[in-house]
Amino acid sequence: MIIEEKFLTTFYILKHKFYIFVYMLKVIWTIFKRGIKHDNSKFSPVELHYNNIIREKIGKIKFGTKEHYDLLGFIAPGKNAHFLVNSHHIEYYKGNIKRMSPLDLIELLCDWKATTKCNNGNLDCSLKINKKKYEINNRLLNCLKRDIKEIGL
């Protein structure tokens, strides 16, 4: 009887682990699809036009400076078109980061990291600037920092 109980308990635990694995695969698949579709809107005529204009300038401008914000103002029509259809941007939610889903936040972090790699930036610096810009509270900022560390960004 004891052996049978241990077997049933082991089976229950393995069954539970199997379901967790299946659901985690759904999360992975969803993130994978987001990665494939990420920023596809940048190929639209409006966004592509403004991306062509800033391509050479953006890597030479330091993030968060007046020159950076002036450039963003100049390309606002392209950025606004982008924000309307990309939920991984805080602007999609009218600047309210608290409305973003965990998957949006993960994609946002990956986007910020990719931007720093393409523009000689620094993710820690970006976090400090964006904390102020988007009024990110310390609790959420600490969660984002833990995710960055755990993911290895």
Side-chain angles (χ1 to χ4, degrees), residues 27 30-31 34 87-89 93 96-111 140 143-144 147-148 151 153:
V27 172
T30 301
I31 291 173
R34 281 175 169 255
S87 67
H88 66 276
H89 286 288
Y93 297 99
N96 187 351
I97 195 169
K98 294 175 187 170
R99 293 182 59 211
M100 296 178 78
S101 76
L103 298 178
D104 287 331
L105 291 170
I106 289 169
E107 188 173 353
L108 174 70
L109 290 176
C110 293
D111 196 10
L140 178 56
C143 287
L144 295 175
D147 289 342
I148 288 167
I151 295 167
L153 296 179

Side-chain angles (χ1 to χ4, degrees), residues 28-82:
I28 291 165
W29 179 246
T30 301
I31 291 173
F32 178 79
K33 289 187 297 185
R34 281 175 169 255
I36 298 281
K37 293 191 274 185
H38 181 86
D39 281 356
N40 278 348
S41 68
K42 285 187 177 180
F43 298 109
S44 71
V46 171
E47 288 188 50
L48 191 58
H49 170 73
Y50 285 99
N51 279 298
N52 285 334
I53 291 171
I54 66 161
R55 181 176 38 87
E56 291 184 16
K57 296 178 184 180
I58 197 73
K60 298 173 185 168
I61 296 173
K62 187 174 179 184
F63 180 75
T65 63
K66 181 184 180 322
E67 191 176 15
H68 174 252
Y69 288 115
D70 287 346
L71 183 60
L72 290 180
F74 177 72
I75 64 162
K79 294 299 280 180
N80 291 338
H82 185 72

Side-chain angles (χ1 to χ4, degrees), residues 7-25:
F7 174 79
L8 289 174
T9 301
T10 300
F11 178 76
Y12 172 81
I13 293 168
L14 291 173
K15 181 178 171 185
H16 176 76
K17 287 175 62 73
F18 172 77
Y19 283 122
I20 296 298
F21 180 73
V22 168
Y23 299 138
M24 295 292 286
L25 284 176

Side-chain angles (χ1 to χ4, degrees), residues 110-127:
C110 293
D111 196 10
W112 286 353
K113 178 63 177 185
T115 300
T116 65
K117 296 295 268 187
C118 293
N119 299 314
N120 300 317
N122 177 292
L123 190 54
D124 288 330
C125 179
S126 295
L127 285 172

